[in-house]
Amino acid sequence: MTAPVLFQEKPLASQGYYGIATLNQPSKLNSLSLEMCQLLTEQLTIWEQDPAIAFVIFEGAGEKAFCAGGDLHQLYTSMQQYAGKPAADNAYAAQFFDVEYRLDYQIHTYSKPIICWGHGVVMGGGIGLMAGTSHRVVSESSRLAMPEVTIGLFPDVGGSWDLNHLAGRIGRFLAATGAILNAADSLFTGMADYCVRHADWSAIIADLERIDGTQMADRRQLDQRIHDVLAQHSAAATLDAGPLQTNYAMLTALCANRDIVSLYRAFAALADHADPWLARAAQTMLKGAPLSVALGLTLQERALHLSLAQVFQLEYKVALNCCAHGQLQEGIRALLIDKDKHPQWQPATIEQITPADIDALLASPWQNASDNPLASLGQGRFVQ
């Protein structure tokens, strides 16, 4: 069987090597499984400790996606198995989110440059991989989103941190609606750093291979050399302004509102907007789980002054609670299992959500907060 992640080490022109990690599940749009996260964690650790490796490249197999999110089928099975039981009892969910979030944190704090080739679809768990890399590259066909509202989850994998740090509090809109960003808007929001044409990627690889391996010891110099290569091939100037940029002033004015129900209604009012991008975003929210909207917005408020490690600790306990709540199971059932696309959300409307509903999802699944498996996250590692 072909490995779900392929690893290569290729020589630089002078001395040293670079590593390539290729997500290798193109039939599933390279959706992340537990095994893939484990393989990536192990290899990244090896490469970080190997002085011969200068930098790492992430890419996805196939032409359609870097990574479309997490592989949810096994998670669904585990939720069926542990239905009605305490959140901490779901062993698979506990392991999956533990490994995935640790991997994402490892990427955010990696001591060597990581170039992410975010071609095609980059959503959910794919954003989790891409967000922490040092050089985030999109192509003319890239589509970025955090669409967890459609399955009854919330923008996790550090989304409460990443979306929270976008200008104009625009992350509130992206979390609530799962709005899809094209290459231009990915650059405009800061969720990507470079746009290059897909046809130029092989030339970029060739230029990267010419980097002088003797410069590896100087991280700043190496980062600058990689930047020079990517900037030389930049296609950003050829892009028209994206729909988010076009509507930015209006959206930031809406996102300044901190009342969840009012914010929901303001976004919902865009469902009939003349701009099809705005209308689609609002319609996606209206089809999604109201509780997911409220939870995602609440987490951005709670995470505003937390460290990255604390955000992952917070998201971890909320993710386990979501698995026990039943809404996530219903969302996956409707979208991926039965595919009827008619989830029965509870609560059914934003107005029916109570503070107790949110508090239950924010509560610790353990008797002591120190029992959170991610409690030690961040010790010995620092955000670059």
Side-chain angles (χ1 to χ4, degrees), residues 62-343:
E63 297 298 314
K64 295 182 179 180
F66 166 60
C67 176
D71 188 341
L72 300 172
H73 288 82
Q74 183 59 45
L75 191 62
Y76 178 79
T77 300
S78 74
M79 287 187 285
Q80 287 183 306
Q81 180 181 354
Y82 290 96
K85 297 181 180 179
D89 287 2
N90 188 329
Y92 177 82
Q95 183 183 22
F96 177 81
F97 289 114
D98 183 316
V99 173
E100 184 183 26
Y101 291 3
R102 286 181 185 276
L103 169 61
D104 293 334
Y105 188 81
Q106 180 183 19
I107 292 167
H108 271 277
T109 58
Y110 207 62
S111 63
K112 296 181 179 182
I114 302 179
I115 304 163
C116 182
W117 175 222
H119 173 64
V121 177
V122 188
M123 297 185 180
I127 296 287
L129 295 180
M130 183 179 187
T133 60
S134 57
H135 299 76
R136 301 164 299 170
V137 189
V138 292
S139 75
E140 68 276 16
S141 69
S142 293
R143 297 294 181 266
L144 275 61
M146 295 293 279
E148 287 80 3
V149 64
T150 61
I151 58 167
L153 191 57
F154 62 94
D156 67 327
V157 294
S160 304
W161 166 279
D162 301 316
L163 297 181
N164 227 354
H165 285 76
L166 302 183
R169 302 181 72 88
I170 201 69
R172 291 164 161 250
F173 178 77
L174 300 179
T177 66
I180 298 173
L181 304 182
N182 63 13
D185 277 336
S186 298
L187 295 176
F188 176 74
T189 58
M191 292 185 71
D193 305 306
Y194 310 89
C195 177
V196 300
R197 286 181 290 271
H198 181 260
D200 292 339
W201 185 242
S202 58
I204 290 170
I205 294 295
D207 286 348
L208 289 172
E209 289 179 346
R210 297 189 185 98
I211 289 178
D212 186 353
T214 60
Q215 299 175 348
M216 291 189 303
D218 188 329
R219 170 66 191 265
R220 288 178 297 177
Q221 189 176 9
L222 183 54
D223 279 333
Q224 182 62 42
R225 184 69 185 91
I226 293 170
H227 164 78
D228 291 342
V229 170
L230 295 170
Q232 179 184 354
H233 292 273
S234 174
T238 67
L239 301 175
D240 295 330
L244 186 147
Q245 182 176 358
T246 301
N247 294 287
Y248 184 70
M250 180 267 289
L251 290 174
T252 55
L254 293 181
C255 290
N257 191 333
R258 298 196 178 198
D259 179 73
I260 290 174
V261 174
S262 298
L263 198 55
Y264 184 97
R265 290 172 178 168
F267 293 157
L270 301 174
D272 297 320
H273 200 280
D275 186 321
W277 181 81
L278 286 173
R280 178 183 177 183
Q283 291 162 11
T284 298
M285 182 192 75
L286 290 170
K287 293 176 183 177
L291 185 56
S292 289
V293 176
L295 181 60
L297 295 175
T298 299
L299 285 171
Q300 287 196 39
E301 291 292 335
R302 295 293 182 95
L304 189 58
H305 300 294
L306 299 182
S307 69
L308 179 60
Q310 290 171 327
V311 168
F312 277 115
Q313 292 159 5
L314 172 62
E315 289 187 349
Y316 182 73
K317 67 179 183 180
V318 177
L320 293 189
N321 286 330
C322 285
C323 289
H325 179 271
Q327 176 176 251
L328 177 57
Q329 182 178 334
E330 172 63 8
I332 296 174
R333 178 206 65 76
L335 184 66
L336 299 176
I337 307 302
D338 297 337
K339 300 182 180 180
D340 58 39
K341 297 186 179 180
H342 290 290

